[in-house]
């Protein structure tokens, strides 16, 4: 991250519901629209964030039924932390490509991110995505 004076932060919570996918897209697009991101950065980051959020919804079994999103923007990169308070990995390595129809999410997120960190919390899991911005 660059100089703290040019760093912006915002936090959101999205509750699991029948409209979770739509709520995720709306939240991400409204926040990313304010950043002035290059269209390609925006599209790639939006897709990666949706994958991570949907994984949390499907697998976390979170008792508080929500994810917390922390966005940190600077002139040269954006970091997004997606945190759930669910069961975590329970000593399992995140799986990739377990089905011909699902399971490629983390592989895609890795490809679209400049850095991907998955951290076990107590409780839950935190996924940190870092994306260097084009033109930075």
């Amino acid at each position: 991250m660059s100089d703290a004076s040019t760093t912006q932060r915002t936090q959101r919570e999205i509750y699991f519901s029948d409209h979770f996918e739509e709520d995720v897209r709306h939240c991400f697009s409204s926040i990313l629209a304010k950043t002035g991101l290059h269209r390609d950065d925006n599209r790639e980051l939006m897709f990666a964030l949706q994958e991570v959020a949907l994984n949390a919804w499907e697998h976390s079994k979170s008792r508080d039924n929500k994810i917390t999103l922390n966005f940190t923007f600077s002139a040269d990169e954006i970091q997004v932390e997606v945190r759930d308070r669910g069961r975590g990995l329970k000593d399992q390595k995140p799986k990739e490509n377990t089905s011909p129809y699902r399971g490629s999410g983390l592989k895609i997120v890795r490809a679209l991110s400049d850095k991907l960190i998955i951290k076990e919390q107590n409780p839950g899991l935190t996924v940190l995505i870092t994306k260097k911005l084009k033109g930075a």
Side-chain angles (χ1 to χ4, degrees):
M1 282 273 143
S2 65
D3 180 351
S5 65
T6 61
T7 300
Q8 300 175 26
R9 291 183 174 81
T10 190
Q11 183 179 59
R12 296 286 189 275
E13 291 180 341
I14 303 176
Y15 287 86
F16 300 155
S17 71
D18 292 339
H19 305 285
F20 181 73
E21 265 187 272
E22 184 179 320
D23 294 343
V24 165
R25 272 193 303 277
H26 182 269
C27 175
F28 293 160
S29 63
S30 67
I31 289 172
L32 295 177
K34 297 175 187 175
T35 66
L37 288 176
H38 185 277
R39 185 179 59 190
D40 291 341
D41 288 327
N42 194 329
R43 184 176 38 242
E44 290 173 1
L45 190 55
M46 174 75 90
F47 188 83
L49 292 172
Q50 283 181 234
E51 282 296 318
V52 170
L54 291 173
N55 277 347
W57 183 38
E58 279 184 54
H59 303 294
S60 74
K61 310 293 188 235
S62 174
R63 285 189 219 145
D64 64 2
N65 290 317
K66 69 180 179 181
I67 59 172
T68 303
L69 306 161
N70 292 298
F71 293 83
T72 305
F73 306 94
S74 72
D76 57 348
E77 70 180 23
I78 180 171
Q79 290 183 337
V80 184
E81 179 184 83
V82 180
R83 186 169 191 315
D84 68 64
R85 297 178 56 78
R87 63 185 178 157
L89 294 174
K90 299 288 185 212
D91 299 322
Q92 298 176 28
K93 188 176 182 183
K95 295 178 182 166
E96 293 183 12
N97 210 10
T98 58
S99 138
Y101 306 105
R102 295 278 304 150
S104 297
L106 286 178
K107 187 176 187 178
I108 293 167
V109 171
R110 255 189 204 93
L112 296 175
S113 305
D114 292 301
K115 187 175 185 181
L116 176 67
I117 299 171
I118 301 171
K119 297 187 290 189
E120 189 82 25
Q121 302 293 315
N122 188 15
L125 200 64
T126 297
V127 177
L128 180 64
I129 298 170
T130 302
K131 179 81 174 159
K132 301 282 185 201
L133 303 180
K134 290 177 176 39

